């Protein structure tokens, strides 16, 4: 009887470990690189010197829509989560808040990783191994529209979705 119980517990434990391992791998499994060279939001790009930000967008220079590296004073993360009055901010390929999932796939391809995050819910993430950049699009499941765009240098900044 004890052997049967231990065997059952062992099998259940192994199944739980396999499930957790697959869940973890799904979010970290390598994906084919997508070119994000010269990608940005509006006129802002990763690596741009912070002194140029206020020249292009003085109204968002203190809004927390980007993160600047403290030593190099260059942008390492851009986040577009709200529409700004008078601005039609999009990626270089024209994707912005309210764009469709089909538009994202048409412009960036299908080499992406799907994630479910606490902060943004469902999102898809593209990665460029040449520029060390990741771009993620939050997707509203009910209407398949973009709710957030995040672009960051994953070697310099660990973005927490």
């Amino acid at each position: 009887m004890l052997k049967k119980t231990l065997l059952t517990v062992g099998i259940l434990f192994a199944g739980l470990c396999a499930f957790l391992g697959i869940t973890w791998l799904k979010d970290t499994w390598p994906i084919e690189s997508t070119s994000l060279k010269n990608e940005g939001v509006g006129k802002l790009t990763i690596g741009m010197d912070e002194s140029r930000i206020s020249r292009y967008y003085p109204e968002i220079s203190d809004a927390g829509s980007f993160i600047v590296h403290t030593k190099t004073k260059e942008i390492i993360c851009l986040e577009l989560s709200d529409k700004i009055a008078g601005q039609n901010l999009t990626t270089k390929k024209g994707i912005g808040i309210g764009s469709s999932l089909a538009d994202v796939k048409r412009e960036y391809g299908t080499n992406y990783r799907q994630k479910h995050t606490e902060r943004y819910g469902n999102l898809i993430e593209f990665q460029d191994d040449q520029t060390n950049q990741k771009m993620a699009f939050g997707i509203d499941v009910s209407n398949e529209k973009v709710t957030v765009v995040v672009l960051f240098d994953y070697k310099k900044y660990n973005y927490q979705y």
Side-chain angles (χ1 to χ4, degrees):
M1 182 67 174
L2 181 60
K3 287 183 181 182
K4 268 187 167 179
T5 304
L6 288 175
L7 180 62
T8 303
V9 169
I11 290 172
L12 289 174
F13 181 72
L16 176 65
C17 288
F19 172 76
L20 292 174
I22 289 169
T23 302
W24 176 78
L25 278 175
K26 180 182 73 166
D27 288 344
T28 59
W29 196 259
I31 55 175
E32 194 172 321
S33 187
T34 299
S35 177
L36 298 174
K37 185 177 182 182
N38 300 321
E39 191 57 72
V41 174
K43 295 179 182 177
L44 303 178
T45 60
I46 299 298
M48 178 183 278
D49 184 274
E50 76 171 330
S51 65
R52 294 171 42 199
I53 296 166
S54 61
R55 181 172 29 155
Y56 292 129
Y57 299 106
E59 70 279 0
I60 66 167
S61 60
D62 294 322
S65 298
F66 54 87
I67 296 172
V68 175
H69 192 277
T70 55
K71 290 182 183 177
T72 62
K73 301 295 184 196
E74 64 185 18
I75 296 175
I76 57 174
C77 179
L78 295 166
E79 178 184 297
L80 177 60
S81 57
D82 295 313
K83 290 190 176 190
I84 298 173
Q87 298 283 339
N88 185 21
L89 296 176
T90 63
T91 67
K92 300 294 183 190
K93 294 184 178 182
I95 304 298
I97 304 299
S99 294
S100 71
L101 176 59
D103 291 339
V104 173
K105 289 179 180 179
R106 184 182 64 246
E107 294 299 328
Y108 293 96
T110 56
N111 296 322
Y112 57 82
R113 179 182 298 120
Q114 292 181 316
K115 291 186 173 189
H116 182 77
T117 66
E118 190 173 311
R119 187 173 183 182
Y120 298 120
N122 293 318
L123 60 83
I124 59 174
E125 179 184 73
F126 297 88
Q127 180 172 321
D128 186 336
D129 297 328
Q130 300 298 315
T131 62
N132 301 322
Q133 294 179 16
K134 289 185 180 181
M135 178 174 267
F137 298 93
I139 305 294
D140 183 338
V141 179
S142 65
N143 61 10
E144 293 192 335
K145 298 287 184 184
V146 173
T147 58
V148 67
V149 178
V150 178
L151 175 65
F152 64 101
D153 183 327
Y154 64 84
K155 293 282 187 173
K156 295 180 181 176
Y157 187 68
N158 183 19
Y159 192 84
Q160 299 297 310
Y161 297 114

